[in-house]
Amino acid sequence: MISIAVCDDDKNVISSIKEAVNEFKDANSVEFETHTFNSGEKLVESSLKFDLIFLDIEMGGIDGIKTAHLIRPKSRRSRIVYVTNHSELALQSYSVHPFDFVVKPFKKERIIDVLNEFMKYITDTANNDPVIQLKGMDGPLLLNLRNIYAFEYTGNRRITVYTESETHCIKGSLSEVFSLINSESFTSPHKSFIVNMEHIDKLTGFTLFTTNGIEVPIAQKKLKEFQNEFSRFIKNYIKQG
């Protein structure tokens, strides 16, 4: 069962999106469960987790971007589609990695296009979930690459691997780890760190923060290169959905 949330303070928009979702569900024999919310506050208060969220940016109360930041800690795997009157506002949202943008007013076909892309995305993800084998302290350690947030070199050929809620200690150097990673999502903003850009929450000066609170320094001489690399990553991420 795929769980979808539609959050908008315009009931007509909610109705239009639900209609498109139901039409797609019937045409493709897909099991969708749709929940609707008329404010960001109500979406944040929900205890449910969603696979796909259609989220209005400009709402009374907390706006869509703030709402996305508040729900990310409990719904890290949710794909967010911003629905907005002004597409340029969505560009402020890179830190929550939007799946797509829908500009109002929209036709039903636009929502169906998003649903088609989403179904392709989850199918591709299920069939291509890369695993990396590392040298754990007690033997081989297998980790899903997408679930790794950062690597930190702590000296004496010891590296701490950070996932969402766990840490692991492995042997080796960061250069050896980088040679094993076949992904454009990873970058090294500092000689002691490798970071998965999928999990970057915000940048502040010479520091970046991951969505689970890891604080990573950015070397001064690498700042411009890192900013350019992260910008390219965000543009490709949005383009690929």
PDB file of all heavy atoms in Angstrom, residues 103 115 130 170 193 197 201 215 237:
ATOM      1  N   VAL A 103       3.160  23.608 -10.674  1.00  0.00           N
ATOM      2  CA  VAL A 103       2.805  25.030 -10.640  1.00  0.00           C
ATOM      3  C   VAL A 103       1.306  25.185 -10.883  1.00  0.00           C
ATOM      4  O   VAL A 103       0.747  24.615 -11.822  1.00  0.00           O
ATOM      5  CB  VAL A 103       3.604  25.819 -11.711  1.00  0.00           C
ATOM      6  CG1 VAL A 103       3.221  27.297 -11.666  1.00  0.00           C
ATOM      7  CG2 VAL A 103       5.104  25.656 -11.465  1.00  0.00           C
ATOM      8  N   LEU A 115       2.770  11.083 -10.761  1.00  0.00           N
ATOM      9  CA  LEU A 115       2.532   9.735 -10.233  1.00  0.00           C
ATOM     10  C   LEU A 115       3.256   8.676 -11.063  1.00  0.00           C
ATOM     11  O   LEU A 115       3.789   7.705 -10.509  1.00  0.00           O
ATOM     12  CB  LEU A 115       1.029   9.458 -10.190  1.00  0.00           C
ATOM     13  CG  LEU A 115       0.247  10.324  -9.198  1.00  0.00           C
ATOM     14  CD1 LEU A 115      -1.253  10.131  -9.397  1.00  0.00           C
ATOM     15  CD2 LEU A 115       0.637  10.001  -7.765  1.00  0.00           C
ATOM     16  N   PRO A 130      22.011  -0.109  -3.922  1.00  0.00           N
ATOM     17  CA  PRO A 130      23.399  -0.537  -3.813  1.00  0.00           C
ATOM     18  C   PRO A 130      23.846  -0.805  -2.379  1.00  0.00           C
ATOM     19  O   PRO A 130      23.465  -0.094  -1.448  1.00  0.00           O
ATOM     20  CB  PRO A 130      24.180   0.638  -4.415  1.00  0.00           C
ATOM     21  CG  PRO A 130      23.282   1.816  -4.250  1.00  0.00           C
ATOM     22  CD  PRO A 130      21.891   1.290  -4.392  1.00  0.00           C
ATOM     23  N   ILE A 170      35.109   1.175  11.189  1.00  0.00           N
ATOM     24  CA  ILE A 170      35.732   0.337  10.158  1.00  0.00           C
ATOM     25  C   ILE A 170      37.221   0.675  10.059  1.00  0.00           C
ATOM     26  O   ILE A 170      37.682   1.695  10.592  1.00  0.00           O
ATOM     27  CB  ILE A 170      35.055   0.521   8.784  1.00  0.00           C
ATOM     28  CG1 ILE A 170      35.251   1.967   8.285  1.00  0.00           C
ATOM     29  CG2 ILE A 170      33.583   0.172   8.867  1.00  0.00           C
ATOM     30  CD1 ILE A 170      34.793   2.181   6.853  1.00  0.00           C
ATOM     31  N   PHE A 193      36.429  13.925   6.231  1.00  0.00           N
ATOM     32  CA  PHE A 193      35.023  13.535   6.063  1.00  0.00           C
ATOM     33  C   PHE A 193      34.671  13.204   4.612  1.00  0.00           C
ATOM     34  O   PHE A 193      35.198  13.817   3.677  1.00  0.00           O
ATOM     35  CB  PHE A 193      34.096  14.662   6.529  1.00  0.00           C
ATOM     36  CG  PHE A 193      34.017  14.839   8.014  1.00  0.00           C
ATOM     37  CD1 PHE A 193      34.916  15.668   8.670  1.00  0.00           C
ATOM     38  CD2 PHE A 193      33.040  14.184   8.760  1.00  0.00           C
ATOM     39  CE1 PHE A 193      34.854  15.843  10.055  1.00  0.00           C
ATOM     40  CE2 PHE A 193      32.972  14.355  10.128  1.00  0.00           C
ATOM     41  CZ  PHE A 193      33.873  15.184  10.782  1.00  0.00           C
ATOM     42  N   MET A 197      25.451  13.688   0.035  1.00  0.00           N
ATOM     43  CA  MET A 197      24.719  14.930  -0.184  1.00  0.00           C
ATOM     44  C   MET A 197      23.206  14.746  -0.153  1.00  0.00           C
ATOM     45  O   MET A 197      22.467  15.717   0.010  1.00  0.00           O
ATOM     46  CB  MET A 197      25.163  15.572  -1.505  1.00  0.00           C
ATOM     47  CG  MET A 197      26.579  16.122  -1.449  1.00  0.00           C
ATOM     48  SD  MET A 197      27.095  16.999  -2.957  1.00  0.00           S
ATOM     49  CE  MET A 197      27.465  15.602  -4.035  1.00  0.00           C
ATOM     50  N   ASP A 201      21.207  18.785   5.332  1.00  0.00           N
ATOM     51  CA  ASP A 201      20.041  19.569   5.741  1.00  0.00           C
ATOM     52  C   ASP A 201      20.254  21.053   5.489  1.00  0.00           C
ATOM     53  O   ASP A 201      19.407  21.731   4.921  1.00  0.00           O
ATOM     54  CB  ASP A 201      19.750  19.328   7.223  1.00  0.00           C
ATOM     55  CG  ASP A 201      18.542  20.105   7.712  1.00  0.00           C
ATOM     56  OD1 ASP A 201      17.535  20.153   6.975  1.00  0.00           O
ATOM     57  OD2 ASP A 201      18.591  20.661   8.825  1.00  0.00           O
ATOM     58  N   GLU A 215      27.427  17.266  12.409  1.00  0.00           N
ATOM     59  CA  GLU A 215      28.046  18.543  12.049  1.00  0.00           C
ATOM     60  C   GLU A 215      29.378  18.266  11.352  1.00  0.00           C
ATOM     61  O   GLU A 215      30.253  17.598  11.912  1.00  0.00           O
ATOM     62  CB  GLU A 215      28.262  19.378  13.311  1.00  0.00           C
ATOM     63  CG  GLU A 215      28.754  20.779  13.068  1.00  0.00           C
ATOM     64  CD  GLU A 215      28.805  21.602  14.340  1.00  0.00           C
ATOM     65  OE1 GLU A 215      27.998  21.318  15.261  1.00  0.00           O
ATOM     66  OE2 GLU A 215      29.652  22.525  14.426  1.00  0.00           O
ATOM     67  N   TYR A 237      19.417  16.164  -8.923  1.00  0.00           N
ATOM     68  CA  TYR A 237      18.471  15.475  -8.059  1.00  0.00           C
ATOM     69  C   TYR A 237      17.047  15.869  -8.419  1.00  0.00           C
ATOM     70  O   TYR A 237      16.156  15.030  -8.534  1.00  0.00           O
ATOM     71  CB  TYR A 237      18.774  15.826  -6.605  1.00  0.00           C
ATOM     72  CG  TYR A 237      18.122  14.927  -5.588  1.00  0.00           C
ATOM     73  CD1 TYR A 237      18.858  13.928  -4.951  1.00  0.00           C
ATOM     74  CD2 TYR A 237      16.783  15.069  -5.229  1.00  0.00           C
ATOM     75  CE1 TYR A 237      18.271  13.102  -4.012  1.00  0.00           C
ATOM     76  CE2 TYR A 237      16.194  14.254  -4.294  1.00  0.00           C
ATOM     77  CZ  TYR A 237      16.950  13.279  -3.679  1.00  0.00           C
ATOM     78  OH  TYR A 237      16.363  12.459  -2.738  1.00  0.00           O
TER      79      TYR A 237
END
